[in-house]
PDB file of all heavy atoms in Angstrom:
ATOM      1  N   ASN A   1      41.494   5.349  12.334  1.00  0.00           N
ATOM      2  CA  ASN A   1      42.938   5.166  12.139  1.00  0.00           C
ATOM      3  C   ASN A   1      43.516   6.293  11.282  1.00  0.00           C
ATOM      4  O   ASN A   1      44.585   6.159  10.698  1.00  0.00           O
ATOM      5  CB  ASN A   1      43.195   3.815  11.442  1.00  0.00           C
ATOM      6  CG  ASN A   1      42.776   2.638  12.298  1.00  0.00           C
ATOM      7  OD1 ASN A   1      43.047   2.611  13.499  1.00  0.00           O
ATOM      8  ND2 ASN A   1      42.112   1.666  11.685  1.00  0.00           N
ATOM      9  N   GLN A   2      42.763   7.411  11.234  1.00  0.00           N
ATOM     10  CA  GLN A   2      43.159   8.508  10.358  1.00  0.00           C
ATOM     11  C   GLN A   2      44.125   9.477  11.014  1.00  0.00           C
ATOM     12  O   GLN A   2      44.615  10.392  10.375  1.00  0.00           O
ATOM     13  CB  GLN A   2      41.918   9.265   9.882  1.00  0.00           C
ATOM     14  CG  GLN A   2      41.017   8.394   9.006  1.00  0.00           C
ATOM     15  CD  GLN A   2      39.738   9.107   8.645  1.00  0.00           C
ATOM     16  OE1 GLN A   2      39.346  10.086   9.274  1.00  0.00           O
ATOM     17  NE2 GLN A   2      39.068   8.637   7.613  1.00  0.00           N
ATOM     18  N   GLY A   3      44.380   9.306  12.293  1.00  0.00           N
ATOM     19  CA  GLY A   3      45.388  10.116  12.964  1.00  0.00           C
ATOM     20  C   GLY A   3      44.989  11.543  13.242  1.00  0.00           C
ATOM     21  O   GLY A   3      45.831  12.416  13.392  1.00  0.00           O
ATOM     22  N   VAL A   4      43.698  11.847  13.341  1.00  0.00           N
ATOM     23  CA  VAL A   4      43.267  13.196  13.684  1.00  0.00           C
ATOM     24  C   VAL A   4      43.534  13.417  15.163  1.00  0.00           C
ATOM     25  O   VAL A   4      43.133  12.615  15.996  1.00  0.00           O
ATOM     26  CB  VAL A   4      41.756  13.393  13.384  1.00  0.00           C
ATOM     27  CG1 VAL A   4      41.330  14.795  13.781  1.00  0.00           C
ATOM     28  CG2 VAL A   4      41.481  13.140  11.922  1.00  0.00           C
ATOM     29  N   SER A   5      44.204  14.517  15.483  1.00  0.00           N
ATOM     30  CA  SER A   5      44.609  14.784  16.863  1.00  0.00           C
ATOM     31  C   SER A   5      43.419  14.913  17.798  1.00  0.00           C
ATOM     32  O   SER A   5      42.480  15.647  17.526  1.00  0.00           O
ATOM     33  CB  SER A   5      45.426  16.074  16.923  1.00  0.00           C
ATOM     34  OG  SER A   5      45.759  16.389  18.259  1.00  0.00           O
ATOM     35  N   GLY A   6      43.441  14.178  18.895  1.00  0.00           N
ATOM     36  CA  GLY A   6      42.460  14.367  19.947  1.00  0.00           C
ATOM     37  C   GLY A   6      41.245  13.477  19.904  1.00  0.00           C
ATOM     38  O   GLY A   6      40.363  13.602  20.733  1.00  0.00           O
ATOM     39  N   GLU A   7      41.127  12.545  18.946  1.00  0.00           N
ATOM     40  CA  GLU A   7      39.940  11.707  18.924  1.00  0.00           C
ATOM     41  C   GLU A   7      40.274  10.250  18.634  1.00  0.00           C
ATOM     42  O   GLU A   7      41.317   9.924  18.074  1.00  0.00           O
ATOM     43  CB  GLU A   7      38.901  12.217  17.930  1.00  0.00           C
ATOM     44  CG  GLU A   7      39.426  12.621  16.569  1.00  0.00           C
ATOM     45  CD  GLU A   7      39.915  11.474  15.721  1.00  0.00           C
ATOM     46  OE1 GLU A   7      39.113  10.606  15.361  1.00  0.00           O
ATOM     47  OE2 GLU A   7      41.108  11.438  15.411  1.00  0.00           O
ATOM     48  N   ASP A   8      39.376   9.378  19.084  1.00  0.00           N
ATOM     49  CA  ASP A   8      39.529   7.940  18.895  1.00  0.00           C
ATOM     50  C   ASP A   8      38.501   7.356  17.933  1.00  0.00           C
ATOM     51  O   ASP A   8      38.690   6.272  17.420  1.00  0.00           O
ATOM     52  CB  ASP A   8      39.382   7.209  20.241  1.00  0.00           C
ATOM     53  CG  ASP A   8      40.579   7.440  21.163  1.00  0.00           C
ATOM     54  OD1 ASP A   8      41.655   7.772  20.646  1.00  0.00           O
ATOM     55  OD2 ASP A   8      40.424   7.294  22.379  1.00  0.00           O
ATOM     56  N   VAL A   9      37.370   8.034  17.727  1.00  0.00           N
ATOM     57  CA  VAL A   9      36.271   7.447  16.961  1.00  0.00           C
ATOM     58  C   VAL A   9      35.892   8.274  15.742  1.00  0.00           C
ATOM     59  O   VAL A   9      36.182   9.468  15.659  1.00  0.00           O
ATOM     60  CB  VAL A   9      35.012   7.279  17.850  1.00  0.00           C
ATOM     61  CG1 VAL A   9      35.275   6.285  18.956  1.00  0.00           C
ATOM     62  CG2 VAL A   9      34.555   8.620  18.402  1.00  0.00           C
ATOM     63  N   LYS A  10      35.215   7.621  14.795  1.00  0.00           N
ATOM     64  CA  LYS A  10      34.731   8.272  13.587  1.00  0.00           C
ATOM     65  C   LYS A  10      33.432   9.023  13.893  1.00  0.00           C
ATOM     66  O   LYS A  10      32.541   8.491  14.535  1.00  0.00           O
ATOM     67  CB  LYS A  10      34.492   7.240  12.491  1.00  0.00           C
ATOM     68  CG  LYS A  10      35.761   6.529  12.054  1.00  0.00           C
ATOM     69  CD  LYS A  10      35.469   5.477  11.005  1.00  0.00           C
ATOM     70  CE  LYS A  10      36.756   4.746  10.591  1.00  0.00           C
ATOM     71  NZ  LYS A  10      36.480   3.681   9.599  1.00  0.00           N
ATOM     72  N   VAL A  11      33.323  10.250  13.417  1.00  0.00           N
ATOM     73  CA  VAL A  11      32.185  11.120  13.698  1.00  0.00           C
ATOM     74  C   VAL A  11      31.210  11.126  12.518  1.00  0.00           C
ATOM     75  O   VAL A  11      31.625  11.104  11.368  1.00  0.00           O
ATOM     76  CB  VAL A  11      32.673  12.564  13.984  1.00  0.00           C
ATOM     77  CG1 VAL A  11      31.490  13.502  14.186  1.00  0.00           C
ATOM     78  CG2 VAL A  11      33.591  12.583  15.202  1.00  0.00           C
ATOM     79  N   LYS A  12      29.883  11.177  12.835  1.00  0.00           N
ATOM     80  CA  LYS A  12      28.843  11.222  11.803  1.00  0.00           C
ATOM     81  C   LYS A  12      27.990  12.476  11.993  1.00  0.00           C
ATOM     82  O   LYS A  12      28.040  13.126  13.044  1.00  0.00           O
ATOM     83  CB  LYS A  12      27.960   9.969  11.879  1.00  0.00           C
ATOM     84  CG  LYS A  12      28.718   8.669  11.635  1.00  0.00           C
ATOM     85  CD  LYS A  12      27.764   7.494  11.461  1.00  0.00           C
ATOM     86  CE  LYS A  12      27.009   7.192  12.741  1.00  0.00           C
ATOM     87  NZ  LYS A  12      26.147   5.990  12.604  1.00  0.00           N
ATOM     88  N   ARG A  13      27.170  12.818  10.974  1.00  0.00           N
ATOM     89  CA  ARG A  13      26.248  13.957  11.042  1.00  0.00           C
ATOM     90  C   ARG A  13      24.816  13.469  10.845  1.00  0.00           C
ATOM     91  O   ARG A  13      24.564  12.508  10.117  1.00  0.00           O
ATOM     92  CB  ARG A  13      26.593  15.005   9.975  1.00  0.00           C
ATOM     93  CG  ARG A  13      27.964  15.653  10.116  1.00  0.00           C
ATOM     94  CD  ARG A  13      28.100  16.447  11.402  1.00  0.00           C
ATOM     95  NE  ARG A  13      27.074  17.466  11.547  1.00  0.00           N
ATOM     96  CZ  ARG A  13      27.179  18.707  11.061  1.00  0.00           C
ATOM     97  NH1 ARG A  13      28.265  19.053  10.368  1.00  0.00           N
ATOM     98  NH2 ARG A  13      26.222  19.588  11.266  1.00  0.00           N
ATOM     99  N   LEU A  14      23.871  14.152  11.467  1.00  0.00           N
ATOM    100  CA  LEU A  14      22.464  13.783  11.408  1.00  0.00           C
ATOM    101  C   LEU A  14      21.807  14.416  10.179  1.00  0.00           C
ATOM    102  O   LEU A  14      22.054  15.588   9.865  1.00  0.00           O
ATOM    103  CB  LEU A  14      21.755  14.263  12.677  1.00  0.00           C
ATOM    104  CG  LEU A  14      20.436  13.604  13.084  1.00  0.00           C
ATOM    105  CD1 LEU A  14      20.636  12.121  13.352  1.00  0.00           C
ATOM    106  CD2 LEU A  14      19.883  14.292  14.329  1.00  0.00           C
ATOM    107  N   SER A  15      20.948  13.660   9.486  1.00  0.00           N
ATOM    108  CA  SER A  15      20.250  14.164   8.303  1.00  0.00           C
ATOM    109  C   SER A  15      19.008  14.966   8.719  1.00  0.00           C
ATOM    110  O   SER A  15      18.610  14.964   9.888  1.00  0.00           O
ATOM    111  CB  SER A  15      19.811  12.995   7.412  1.00  0.00           C
ATOM    112  OG  SER A  15      18.843  12.202   8.088  1.00  0.00           O
ATOM    113  N   LYS A  16      18.367  15.642   7.754  1.00  0.00           N
ATOM    114  CA  LYS A  16      17.140  16.396   8.039  1.00  0.00           C
ATOM    115  C   LYS A  16      16.029  15.477   8.514  1.00  0.00           C
ATOM    116  O   LYS A  16      15.259  15.811   9.416  1.00  0.00           O
ATOM    117  CB  LYS A  16      16.704  17.164   6.787  1.00  0.00           C
ATOM    118  CG  LYS A  16      17.634  18.309   6.403  1.00  0.00           C
ATOM    119  CD  LYS A  16      17.105  19.054   5.190  1.00  0.00           C
ATOM    120  CE  LYS A  16      18.038  20.211   4.820  1.00  0.00           C
ATOM    121  NZ  LYS A  16      17.555  20.948   3.620  1.00  0.00           N
ATOM    122  N   THR A  17      15.936  14.307   7.897  1.00  0.00           N
ATOM    123  CA  THR A  17      14.933  13.328   8.315  1.00  0.00           C
ATOM    124  C   THR A  17      15.209  12.864   9.743  1.00  0.00           C
ATOM    125  O   THR A  17      14.286  12.692  10.552  1.00  0.00           O
ATOM    126  CB  THR A  17      14.939  12.110   7.373  1.00  0.00           C
ATOM    127  OG1 THR A  17      14.691  12.548   6.035  1.00  0.00           O
ATOM    128  CG2 THR A  17      13.880  11.100   7.785  1.00  0.00           C
ATOM    129  N   GLY A  18      16.475  12.673  10.045  1.00  0.00           N
ATOM    130  CA  GLY A  18      16.857  12.264  11.399  1.00  0.00           C
ATOM    131  C   GLY A  18      16.493  13.315  12.428  1.00  0.00           C
ATOM    132  O   GLY A  18      16.027  12.997  13.525  1.00  0.00           O
ATOM    133  N   TRP A  19      16.654  14.599  12.062  1.00  0.00           N
ATOM    134  CA  TRP A  19      16.275  15.692  12.958  1.00  0.00           C
ATOM    135  C   TRP A  19      14.774  15.716  13.208  1.00  0.00           C
ATOM    136  O   TRP A  19      14.310  15.925  14.334  1.00  0.00           O
ATOM    137  CB  TRP A  19      16.712  17.031  12.380  1.00  0.00           C
ATOM    138  CG  TRP A  19      18.002  17.541  12.917  1.00  0.00           C
ATOM    139  CD1 TRP A  19      19.126  17.849  12.213  1.00  0.00           C
ATOM    140  CD2 TRP A  19      18.314  17.831  14.284  1.00  0.00           C
ATOM    141  NE1 TRP A  19      20.119  18.288  13.056  1.00  0.00           N
ATOM    142  CE2 TRP A  19      19.647  18.294  14.331  1.00  0.00           C
ATOM    143  CE3 TRP A  19      17.596  17.724  15.476  1.00  0.00           C
ATOM    144  CZ2 TRP A  19      20.273  18.661  15.519  1.00  0.00           C
ATOM    145  CZ3 TRP A  19      18.215  18.081  16.669  1.00  0.00           C
ATOM    146  CH2 TRP A  19      19.535  18.553  16.681  1.00  0.00           C
ATOM    147  N   LEU A  20      13.976  15.526  12.148  1.00  0.00           N
ATOM    148  CA  LEU A  20      12.524  15.531  12.263  1.00  0.00           C
ATOM    149  C   LEU A  20      12.060  14.425  13.199  1.00  0.00           C
ATOM    150  O   LEU A  20      11.202  14.636  14.069  1.00  0.00           O
ATOM    151  CB  LEU A  20      11.887  15.364  10.884  1.00  0.00           C
ATOM    152  CG  LEU A  20      10.349  15.332  10.847  1.00  0.00           C
ATOM    153  CD1 LEU A  20       9.784  16.648  11.359  1.00  0.00           C
ATOM    154  CD2 LEU A  20       9.871  15.048   9.420  1.00  0.00           C
ATOM    155  N   TYR A  21      12.624  13.254  13.034  1.00  0.00           N
ATOM    156  CA  TYR A  21      12.282  12.123  13.882  1.00  0.00           C
ATOM    157  C   TYR A  21      12.693  12.390  15.332  1.00  0.00           C
ATOM    158  O   TYR A  21      11.945  12.086  16.273  1.00  0.00           O
ATOM    159  CB  TYR A  21      12.986  10.867  13.365  1.00  0.00           C
ATOM    160  CG  TYR A  21      12.776   9.640  14.233  1.00  0.00           C
ATOM    161  CD1 TYR A  21      11.588   8.929  14.165  1.00  0.00           C
ATOM    162  CD2 TYR A  21      13.771   9.214  15.115  1.00  0.00           C
ATOM    163  CE1 TYR A  21      11.387   7.813  14.961  1.00  0.00           C
ATOM    164  CE2 TYR A  21      13.576   8.108  15.903  1.00  0.00           C
ATOM    165  CZ  TYR A  21      12.383   7.402  15.825  1.00  0.00           C
ATOM    166  OH  TYR A  21      12.192   6.320  16.627  1.00  0.00           O
ATOM    167  N   THR A  22      13.855  12.975  15.524  1.00  0.00           N
ATOM    168  CA  THR A  22      14.368  13.251  16.861  1.00  0.00           C
ATOM    169  C   THR A  22      13.489  14.240  17.611  1.00  0.00           C
ATOM    170  O   THR A  22      13.125  14.021  18.775  1.00  0.00           O
ATOM    171  CB  THR A  22      15.811  13.807  16.781  1.00  0.00           C
ATOM    172  OG1 THR A  22      16.659  12.840  16.157  1.00  0.00           O
ATOM    173  CG2 THR A  22      16.341  14.133  18.169  1.00  0.00           C
ATOM    174  N   ILE A  23      13.101  15.338  16.941  1.00  0.00           N
ATOM    175  CA  ILE A  23      12.302  16.385  17.586  1.00  0.00           C
ATOM    176  C   ILE A  23      10.898  15.888  17.922  1.00  0.00           C
ATOM    177  O   ILE A  23      10.388  16.110  19.030  1.00  0.00           O
ATOM    178  CB  ILE A  23      12.221  17.634  16.680  1.00  0.00           C
ATOM    179  CG1 ILE A  23      13.612  18.276  16.557  1.00  0.00           C
ATOM    180  CG2 ILE A  23      11.222  18.642  17.252  1.00  0.00           C
ATOM    181  CD1 ILE A  23      13.678  19.413  15.556  1.00  0.00           C
ATOM    182  N   SER A  24      10.248  15.204  16.982  1.00  0.00           N
ATOM    183  CA  SER A  24       8.888  14.713  17.225  1.00  0.00           C
ATOM    184  C   SER A  24       8.859  13.677  18.342  1.00  0.00           C
ATOM    185  O   SER A  24       7.955  13.675  19.184  1.00  0.00           O
ATOM    186  CB  SER A  24       8.300  14.117  15.935  1.00  0.00           C
ATOM    187  OG  SER A  24       9.109  13.055  15.446  1.00  0.00           O
ATOM    188  N   THR A  25       9.849  12.820  18.371  1.00  0.00           N
ATOM    189  CA  THR A  25       9.931  11.809  19.428  1.00  0.00           C
ATOM    190  C   THR A  25      10.144  12.465  20.784  1.00  0.00           C
ATOM    191  O   THR A  25       9.541  12.059  21.787  1.00  0.00           O
ATOM    192  CB  THR A  25      11.084  10.826  19.155  1.00  0.00           C
ATOM    193  OG1 THR A  25      10.881  10.197  17.888  1.00  0.00           O
ATOM    194  CG2 THR A  25      11.162   9.763  20.232  1.00  0.00           C
ATOM    195  N   ALA A  26      10.977  13.493  20.827  1.00  0.00           N
ATOM    196  CA  ALA A  26      11.271  14.192  22.085  1.00  0.00           C
ATOM    197  C   ALA A  26      10.010  14.811  22.677  1.00  0.00           C
ATOM    198  O   ALA A  26       9.748  14.686  23.887  1.00  0.00           O
ATOM    199  CB  ALA A  26      12.334  15.256  21.857  1.00  0.00           C
ATOM    200  N   VAL A  27       9.205  15.477  21.850  1.00  0.00           N
ATOM    201  CA  VAL A  27       7.984  16.136  22.328  1.00  0.00           C
ATOM    202  C   VAL A  27       7.024  15.128  22.941  1.00  0.00           C
ATOM    203  O   VAL A  27       6.485  15.324  24.044  1.00  0.00           O
ATOM    204  CB  VAL A  27       7.302  16.904  21.183  1.00  0.00           C
ATOM    205  CG1 VAL A  27       5.935  17.429  21.632  1.00  0.00           C
ATOM    206  CG2 VAL A  27       8.174  18.059  20.719  1.00  0.00           C
ATOM    207  N   ILE A  28       6.808  14.014  22.246  1.00  0.00           N
ATOM    208  CA  ILE A  28       5.876  12.989  22.722  1.00  0.00           C
ATOM    209  C   ILE A  28       6.350  12.378  24.041  1.00  0.00           C
ATOM    210  O   ILE A  28       5.582  12.227  24.996  1.00  0.00           O
ATOM    211  CB  ILE A  28       5.710  11.881  21.661  1.00  0.00           C
ATOM    212  CG1 ILE A  28       5.041  12.454  20.404  1.00  0.00           C
ATOM    213  CG2 ILE A  28       4.897  10.714  22.213  1.00  0.00           C
ATOM    214  CD1 ILE A  28       5.024  11.499  19.222  1.00  0.00           C
ATOM    215  N   LEU A  29       7.639  12.058  24.114  1.00  0.00           N
ATOM    216  CA  LEU A  29       8.173  11.408  25.310  1.00  0.00           C
ATOM    217  C   LEU A  29       8.215  12.344  26.516  1.00  0.00           C
ATOM    218  O   LEU A  29       7.981  11.915  27.648  1.00  0.00           O
ATOM    219  CB  LEU A  29       9.571  10.863  25.027  1.00  0.00           C
ATOM    220  CG  LEU A  29       9.646   9.691  24.046  1.00  0.00           C
ATOM    221  CD1 LEU A  29      11.095   9.268  23.827  1.00  0.00           C
ATOM    222  CD2 LEU A  29       8.832   8.504  24.563  1.00  0.00           C
TER     223      LEU A  29
END
């Protein structure tokens, strides 16, 4: 409800731990 032009949803950023988990999971899968 912040009125930023062009978007409807709140945006988040991924942490370093989140990146590590994402990359390792991707390789295995």
Side-chain angles (χ1 to χ4, degrees):
N1 296 316
Q2 295 175 342
V4 179
S5 177
E7 45 69 64
D8 289 337
V9 295
K10 296 178 181 178
V11 176
K12 298 191 294 184
R13 297 297 304 272
L14 201 61
S15 65
K16 291 182 179 179
T17 302
W19 263 122
L20 179 62
Y21 176 78
T22 300
I23 293 173
S24 58
T25 302
V27 172
I28 295 171
L29 292 179

